[in-house]
């Protein structure tokens, strides 16, 4: 293995130096790294690239006794020793940037500052060695020779990474997951390579290990940036979602307040809009609509009578026996509602429910006499909900109609006044409501069934019926004519 590395280490260094140069280029054009980290990584990659290229140059010019060989050997070997120190120094800068960016560690620890001082002294020693032959010398054939104090040159490349490693281990859990491994390996791998290189003359393991760690450092920095961006993006999505919920809640509150103002204007149909909204949403769900579509049906139902706010109080309070002119004015509430809701650009569907819920499926409704699927879908849903609430609500002359009567009337309206698809959903809703809970209730109303009923004229009163369950019941009827007063017209 050692012989293989000796024979191919030039090619290996050339490939690794190219990889470092590519990393330096991508660091330079990166827009996602902070300026300090970008600077440190760029200097690390450039230094590692040049270090390996000078290693190749030193090997090629070793033993070349020409003038060019003389100078190139000295320049290359000096650069190798100096750039080794430089890479570690720039890594120290990168570590400082990483930890000062951490919310838990705002000030660079003293160990890193001490490491910087040691590295500067190491660089000064490399310069001094050029004039004293402290680390290496050249024989008359210009061949590189280790000096007696050669091992001193390994003190800084081993000591400082050891200090850096101790620091990384201490704060390992506080580091971002994306860069933990690269920071943990950057120091021990070159240290191990330096120890091996001391005992294997001719191998250039330290510089190769440092360059490989420089590449690894960039790769994990990139992973960390992407991970940070993903987390930031996720947080932004959550913030946007929360803002949307807040805006939607505000919209709901405004709409509810608006509907309350309409209810206050028309006491005859108080609570009508809220019930229609609830029924419209239920019908949409039963019809297989999405949650978003069902929510749209709810708000369309809630605001379907918003145009009534533009009607005179005398028409709203009268409601029955309207003159022809008053009827025309009342019918225009759908047009006024559409005009009002047309101003809400974020929810354009609202105007459909308000403007077309009186269009009949057979084309005999108003205001435009639309028919079938030409009527907006939300308007068809609201129309079904509106009809149901009209029959299941309390009026000044009657109580809510019985469920069975309502069901029969809805069946009759299917395909004529109402959309068959949504009347089918309403009928299913009625059939599921065995206790007839989907209706307007008196405040003092109880669920007790009546044992008798007094009828003044035809259909003036209805029984609440008998709950349907698995229990078998016998039903008998007994009626008596009221002799006191003949109120029946037939």
């Amino acid at each position: 293995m050692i012989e293989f590395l000796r024979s191919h280490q030039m090619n290996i260094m050339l490939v690794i130096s190219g990889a470092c140069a590519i990393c330096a280029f991508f660091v330079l054009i990166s827009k996602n790294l902070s300026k300090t980290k970008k600077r440190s990584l760029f200097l690390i990659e450039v230094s590692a690239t040049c270090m390996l290229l000078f290693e190749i140059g030193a090997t090629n010019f070793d033993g070349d006794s020409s003038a060019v060989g003389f100078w190139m050997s000295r320049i290359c070997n000096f650069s190798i020793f100096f750039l080794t120190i430089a890479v570690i120094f720039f890594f120290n800068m990168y570590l400082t940037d990483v930890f000062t960016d951490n919310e838990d560690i705002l000030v660079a620890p003293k160990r890193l500052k001490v490491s910087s001082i040691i590295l500067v002294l190491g660089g000064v020693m490399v310069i001094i060695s050029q004039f004293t032959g402290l680390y290496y010398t050249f024989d008359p054939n210009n061949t590189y020779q280790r000096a007696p104090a050669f091992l001193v040159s390994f003190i800084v490349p081993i000591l400082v990474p050891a200090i850096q490693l101790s620091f990384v281990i201490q704060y390992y859990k506080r580091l971002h997951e994306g860069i933990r491994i690269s920071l943990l390996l950057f120091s021990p791998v070159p240290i191990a390579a330096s120890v091996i290189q001391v005992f294997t003359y001719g191998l250039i393991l330290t510089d190769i290990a440092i360059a490989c760690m420089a590449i690894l450092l960039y790769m994990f920095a990139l992973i960390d940036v992407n991970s940070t961006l993903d987390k930031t993006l996720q947080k932004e999505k959550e913030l946007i979602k929360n803002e949307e919920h807040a805006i939607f809640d505000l919209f709901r509150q405004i709409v509810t307040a608006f509907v309350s103002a309409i209810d206050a204007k028309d006491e005859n149909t108080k609570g009508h809009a809220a019930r229609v909204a609830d029924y419209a949403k239920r019908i949409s769900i039963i019809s297989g609509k999405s949650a978003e579509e069902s929510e749209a049906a709810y708000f369309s139902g809630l605001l379907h009578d918003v145009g009534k706010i533009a009607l005179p109080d005398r028409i709203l309070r009268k409601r029955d026996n309207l003159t022809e002119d008053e009827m025309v004015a009342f019918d225009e509430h759908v047009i006024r509602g559409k005009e009002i809701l047309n101003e809400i650009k974020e929810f354009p569907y609202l105007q459909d429910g308000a403007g077309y819920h009186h269009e009949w499926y057979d084309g005999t409704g108003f205001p435009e006499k639309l028919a079938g699927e030409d009527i907006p879908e939300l308007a068809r849903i609201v129309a079904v909900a509106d009809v149901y609430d009209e029959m299941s609500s309390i009026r000044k002359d009657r109580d809510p109609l019985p469920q069975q009567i309502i069901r029969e009337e809805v069946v009759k309206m299917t395909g004529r006044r109402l959309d068959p698809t949504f009347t089918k959903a309403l009928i299913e809703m009625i059939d599921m409501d065995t206790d007839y809970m989907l209706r307007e209730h008196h405040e003092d109303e109880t669920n007790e069934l009546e044992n008798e009923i007094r009828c003044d004229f035809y259909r003036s009163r209805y029984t609440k019926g008998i709950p349907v369950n698995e229990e078998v019941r016998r039903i008998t009827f007994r009626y008596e004519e009221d002799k006191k007063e003949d109120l029946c017209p037939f």
Side-chain angles (χ1 to χ4, degrees), residues 186 367 381 462:
F186 192 91
I381 294 173
Y462 302 92

Side-chain angles (χ1 to χ4, degrees), residues 292-311:
E292 185 177 348
E293 290 171 324
S294 299
E295 202 67 25
Y298 175 85
F299 283 107
S300 295
L302 199 60
L303 290 169
H304 76 287
D305 273 342
V306 70
K308 287 182 180 179
I309 204 167
L311 296 179

Side-chain angles (χ1 to χ4, degrees), residues 388-399:
Y388 178 76
D389 186 66
E390 179 68 27
M391 291 188 285
S392 63
S393 296
I394 302 166
R395 292 294 178 259
K396 61 183 180 181
D397 58 344
R398 64 165 175 82
D399 288 335

